[in-house]
Amino acid sequence: MQKLIHGIRQFQQSEYRRKQSLFEELAGGQAPPTMFITCADSRIDPNLITGSDPGELFVLRNAGNMIPRQDMASGEAATIEFAVKALKVEHIVVCGHSQCGAMKATLEPESCESLPSVAGWLRNVKGVVERTLRRHGEQSPERMLDLVIQENVRMQLENLQSLRCVAEALASEQLQLHGWTYDIGRGEIESLDHERNEFATLFNDECYQPDESATGFA
């Protein structure tokens, strides 16, 4: 705890002072262009890996970056609805990550025997292992985990579209959805190509140029 308290002091004396005008502007309201849905894992820092300032990402985090289907009364559905209808975000990113504990648990359900709430939460990703096997067949345990992490991103993008507010925003072309996976050890992002339904490195440093015309999934 002392480390956190010391960090607050450092923030007030350095980062806040350097961006004081930004924080003063944000005190009056927010208008983030992007919603970022990712795992609660402590190793993921959405602002750090995207180089974003405060106010640029509207972040939703939970175990396994999951979105319950349809308009269920859940914190996730309420947060997404607020982002889409009140804040009018233009993009939603669903970002999985390497070595995800929630996805490991889908492969090893016995690991949740003493965690009933976790086991119940994993119902939101029921069938992800079977979907992965149909798509890729049997794989090594390490490769299987990576593929389940990718398949979960596909599944959560589908769940997103089952929410009425998201479906309406997509239909009116006010919103784009993006599926990413983040490799913690390498610092790399892979993005889901919707047309090919495959993941690929988000960009090549040598030839990267921002795509200003992307629509739908990225």
Side-chain angles (χ1 to χ4, degrees):
M1 184 55 65
Q2 286 301 315
K3 181 177 181 180
L4 299 184
I5 294 171
H6 179 66
I8 292 170
R9 188 60 175 165
Q10 284 188 314
F11 162 74
Q12 293 171 338
Q13 293 178 341
S14 59
E15 190 73 8
Y16 174 79
R17 290 183 179 178
R18 284 190 286 109
K19 297 182 177 181
Q20 184 171 347
S21 61
L22 170 62
F23 287 110
E24 290 173 347
E25 179 182 348
L26 290 174
Q30 62 171 330
T34 302
M35 181 176 199
F36 199 94
I37 301 174
T38 193
C39 189
D41 194 297
S42 63
R43 297 168 292 179
I44 314 301
D45 186 332
N47 290 96
L48 180 64
I49 65 177
T50 62
S52 302
D53 276 330
E56 293 184 333
L57 295 181
F58 191 70
V59 179
L60 172 61
R61 305 185 68 157
N62 60 42
N65 40 273
M66 296 185 203
I67 301 107
R69 286 188 64 84
Q70 301 177 346
D71 293 307
M72 298 172 59
S74 68
E76 287 74 24
T79 303
I80 293 164
E81 181 181 73
F82 182 77
V84 173
K85 301 199 75 171
L87 297 178
K88 300 189 182 303
V89 296
E90 299 172 0
H91 304 271
I92 299 180
V93 176
V94 177
C95 184
H97 69 92
S98 60
Q99 297 300 312
C100 178
M103 294 305 102
K104 285 183 181 180
T106 67
L107 291 165
E108 303 169 1
E110 67 280 0
S111 66
C112 291
E113 290 178 356
S114 62
L115 302 168
S117 295
V118 173
W121 176 245
L122 290 176
R123 286 196 291 267
N124 290 306
V125 74
K126 181 180 179 181
V128 71
V129 174
E130 291 75 13
R131 284 176 48 146
T132 305
L133 286 169
R134 287 196 298 270
R135 189 183 301 275
H136 300 284
E138 291 286 348
Q139 303 288 329
S140 69
E142 295 81 7
R143 180 60 177 159
M144 192 64 180
L145 176 57
D146 290 340
L147 294 173
V148 165
I149 289 165
Q150 292 182 352
E151 195 63 33
N152 179 49
V153 171
R154 291 187 181 93
M155 180 179 284
Q156 302 315 316
L157 287 169
E158 293 168 10
N159 290 353
L160 256 182
Q161 294 176 85
S162 76
L163 300 178
R164 186 178 298 111
C165 62
V166 172
E168 291 174 350
L170 288 171
S172 61
E173 299 185 347
Q174 296 174 354
L175 181 67
Q176 297 178 36
L177 304 183
H178 312 267
W180 293 359
T181 59
Y182 168 56
D183 188 296
I184 295 170
R186 300 202 306 265
E188 294 180 353
I189 298 283
E190 289 193 338
S191 177
L192 178 61
D193 182 317
H194 181 54
E195 291 186 1
R196 296 188 300 135
N197 202 16
E198 295 179 358
F199 284 81
T201 301
L202 188 57
F203 55 79
N204 183 318
D205 285 338
E206 294 180 356
C207 61
Y208 170 63
Q209 291 183 347
D211 183 359
E212 300 295 343
S213 61
T215 59
F217 289 85

